[in-house]
Amino acid sequence: EEFLNSLLAQILKAEPFLKLSSGQEAYHYQLFMEKDDGLTLPTVQQLFEQSFLTSDIKLKEVPSCLIIQMPRFGKNYKMYPRILPSQLLDVTDIIENSPRQCTVCGKVAKWECKQCFGECGEGLESIAFCTVCVEKVHCHSRRASHSPKQISVLQDFSIMADHCQPPRLYMELFAVICIETSHYVAFVKCGAGHEAPWCFFDSMADRKGEQNG
């Protein structure tokens, strides 16, 4: 974390990649959430969405680069034994003011209900509703205590709303880095598209005759 901040801010003089709805800016995003005992092999997509739901935060725009720190660190603490990387990350529902689909009918969503998470579908996609469906869904006594919040829709898209569905926004995975003390391994994508090859690098590949090599 310190190395990344030093490299990007002091050496490369890069602008922060992430602009958060809280007004803060950052180079990377650390996932925070409660452990979900129902997940035995969570994907990055699932943990990513749970973290943004828990933090009640959004990104102001799709970042040029998204560096995510997983909830898996230290020798004694592992929230999950392993995490499955998502090669395509759907960021549609964590972008502020991004057009979204109603999870019930597919029309443009005007409301968001965080308490409905996982009830009408999976992920953050399940908490977006149009005006008609948000009323229908919350007629049920089990959801009567929910508090949906109105979400804004860009005026340019509102004009076209009846003629096209809101597009999904995806980011492509290009690297995974696993660190243990001073030893790290990296998987890096060499090119664009799903057929691009991956390269594996081990920082201790040149060691011989030591305890594990």
Side-chain angles (χ1 to χ4, degrees):
E1 191 175 327
E2 292 173 0
F3 168 74
L4 277 176
N5 284 327
S6 298
L7 174 67
L8 295 167
Q10 298 171 23
I11 299 174
L12 299 178
K13 306 291 184 183
E15 291 290 322
F17 300 133
L18 309 180
K19 293 178 174 58
L20 304 173
S21 58
S22 61
Q24 296 174 303
E25 296 184 342
Y27 290 100
H28 75 285
Y29 185 79
Q30 184 172 352
L31 300 188
F32 291 103
M33 79 285 294
E34 296 292 327
K35 183 174 181 180
D36 185 345
D37 292 326
L39 293 177
T40 53
L41 181 59
T43 64
V44 170
Q45 180 78 54
Q46 289 171 316
L47 300 184
F48 178 72
E49 293 188 349
Q50 284 184 8
S51 180
F52 272 88
L53 182 76
T54 300
S55 303
D56 195 21
I57 204 167
K58 289 187 183 290
L59 297 180
K60 286 186 171 293
E61 59 189 37
V62 179
S64 59
C65 177
L66 176 58
I67 303 172
I68 307 173
Q69 186 175 339
M70 294 290 104
R72 177 182 158 76
F73 45 82
K75 291 188 175 181
N76 299 322
Y77 175 76
K78 294 282 188 294
M79 181 176 283
Y80 296 102
R82 53 190 63 83
I83 296 169
L84 185 66
S86 301
Q87 293 196 45
L88 278 180
L89 190 70
D90 189 338
V91 298
T92 311
D93 299 296
I94 56 97
I95 305 298
E96 193 174 49
N97 299 330
S98 174
R100 297 162 66 184
Q101 280 184 306
C102 170
T103 189
V104 179
C105 70
K107 292 182 179 179
V108 179
K110 301 286 183 68
W111 296 84
E112 181 181 80
C113 179
K114 295 182 183 296
Q115 293 143 300
C116 281
F117 184 76
E119 288 199 14
C120 300
E122 293 184 359
L124 289 178
E125 193 175 351
S126 68
I127 68 173
F129 302 92
C130 68
T131 303
V132 174
C133 293
V134 76
E135 292 182 4
K136 285 183 180 178
V137 166
H138 290 89
C139 284
H140 196 290
S141 58
R142 190 177 62 191
R143 290 183 282 271
S145 61
H146 289 192
S147 304
K149 293 182 179 178
Q150 196 162 9
I151 55 179
S152 59
V153 180
L154 296 174
Q155 187 174 2
D156 290 347
F157 190 82
S158 296
I159 299 170
M160 298 293 294
D162 294 333
H163 307 286
C164 60
Q165 289 187 331
R168 305 300 298 178
L169 305 174
Y170 296 94
M171 297 193 74
E172 186 179 345
L173 179 69
F174 68 88
V176 177
I177 303 174
C178 303
I179 306 168
E180 183 177 359
T181 317
S182 59
H183 178 206
Y184 73 92
V185 296
F187 301 84
V188 182
K189 195 169 191 176
C190 306
H194 67 278
E195 294 183 350
W198 285 77
C199 175
F200 172 70
F201 177 79
D202 186 338
S203 67
M204 295 182 70
D206 61 337
R207 306 292 180 92
K208 290 185 180 180
E210 296 189 5
Q211 183 178 358
N212 299 317

